[in-house]
Amino acid sequence: MLLKIVQVGEPVLRMPARPLTRDEIRTESFQALIELMRETMRDAPGVGLAAPQIGEGLQLFVVEDSREDPRTQREVVPFQVFVNPRLTIVDATPVEFFEGCLSLTGFSAVVPRALSVRVDALNHQGDPVSVEARGWYARILQHETDHLNGIVYIDRMRSRTFMSQANYARHWSEMTVEDLRKTLGDLAEGEG
Ligand code: ZN
């Protein structure tokens, strides 16, 4: 069974999610929810899914990434569950790449993210965990934590790079992000 992924404009995506107790985490129904989110994320397919995206205002997200790409510092991330996460920036150096969201189907944009972060959270059993991440994984963690605070990537994107994924593939995919931003910036009057 798959869960329905809600799209931007759904109020739950704009509200702060509520934290969970350890007792709640250890219930059968919560464990079943985690399993459904894993299946839904894999089917989408996506590398992260936050509870508000399936209509639940809970401080919960799951991640899993099976791809590698040295250009974006992307490495394999095993399936992991984060409950009540607290995100700390470790290295604030901004890194810019195209980013998408399962709640904004068909679009993407360049989003600056911190190079390195730490997330302190509870795992699927309600035990404390601390994860430090760099590059693409750090991007995923920032994106998913944002969802729990009612923030979507369009709030942080370089807005002139917002485009359909089809047009990205058609016109821009061969360009580096730096050149693309420069080109789009130069097309704008009064922008450097
Ligand atoms: Zn998202």
Side-chain angles (χ1 to χ4, degrees):
M1 194 185 109
L2 298 174
L3 301 163
K4 184 190 172 192
I5 300 176
V6 301
Q7 295 296 299
V8 69
E10 195 71 33
V12 68
L13 287 174
R14 287 311 196 172
M15 290 169 187
R18 77 162 174 89
L20 288 139
T21 66
R22 283 185 187 182
D23 286 344
E24 282 179 296
I25 294 169
R26 288 166 182 163
T27 59
E28 266 181 41
S29 61
F30 190 76
Q31 296 301 313
L33 175 66
I34 289 172
E35 197 49 47
L36 287 173
M37 285 178 68
R38 185 211 305 242
E39 287 174 32
T40 303
M41 174 177 65
R42 283 180 177 169
D43 178 77
V47 295
L49 184 66
Q53 294 185 274
I54 48 104
E56 299 285 348
L58 304 172
Q59 289 188 19
L60 158 70
F61 67 77
V62 296
V63 300
E64 183 180 52
D65 195 359
S66 57
R67 283 171 57 190
E68 292 185 349
D69 186 347
R71 287 172 307 169
T72 54
Q73 295 190 41
R74 186 169 176 173
E75 292 175 353
V76 170
V77 175
F79 179 77
Q80 282 173 79
V81 176
F82 293 84
V83 179
N84 304 347
R86 292 289 165 268
L87 184 133
T88 309
I89 304 289
V90 175
D91 184 339
T93 306
V95 184
E96 299 198 330
F97 283 115
F98 271 91
E99 195 172 305
C101 178
L102 296 174
S103 296
L104 280 130
T105 302
F107 292 93
S108 65
V110 172
V111 183
R113 298 285 187 185
L115 173 63
S116 172
V117 299
R118 189 182 71 245
V119 174
D120 297 292
L122 301 178
N123 68 10
H124 67 289
Q125 294 171 317
D127 297 324
V129 286
S130 185
V131 170
E132 214 169 297
R134 282 174 73 83
W136 196 258
Y137 188 21
R139 175 175 297 272
I140 296 171
L141 293 175
Q142 289 167 83
H143 180 117
E144 300 308 330
T145 306
D146 272 354
H147 272 306
L148 307 187
N149 295 311
I151 296 167
V152 190
Y153 79 76
I154 51 178
D155 303 342
R156 302 192 186 277
M157 69 182 176
R158 303 291 184 200
S159 58
R160 290 184 55 81
T161 66
F162 183 66
M163 59 180 68
S164 74
Q165 285 170 352
N167 275 337
Y168 170 74
R170 191 173 299 140
H171 301 294
W172 307 98
S173 62
E174 302 298 315
M175 228 181 248
T176 66
V177 167
E178 266 180 7
D179 285 344
L180 183 145
R181 262 197 72 203
K182 190 164 178 296
T183 304
L184 287 169
D186 287 347
L187 292 173
E189 250 178 59
E191 263 199 55

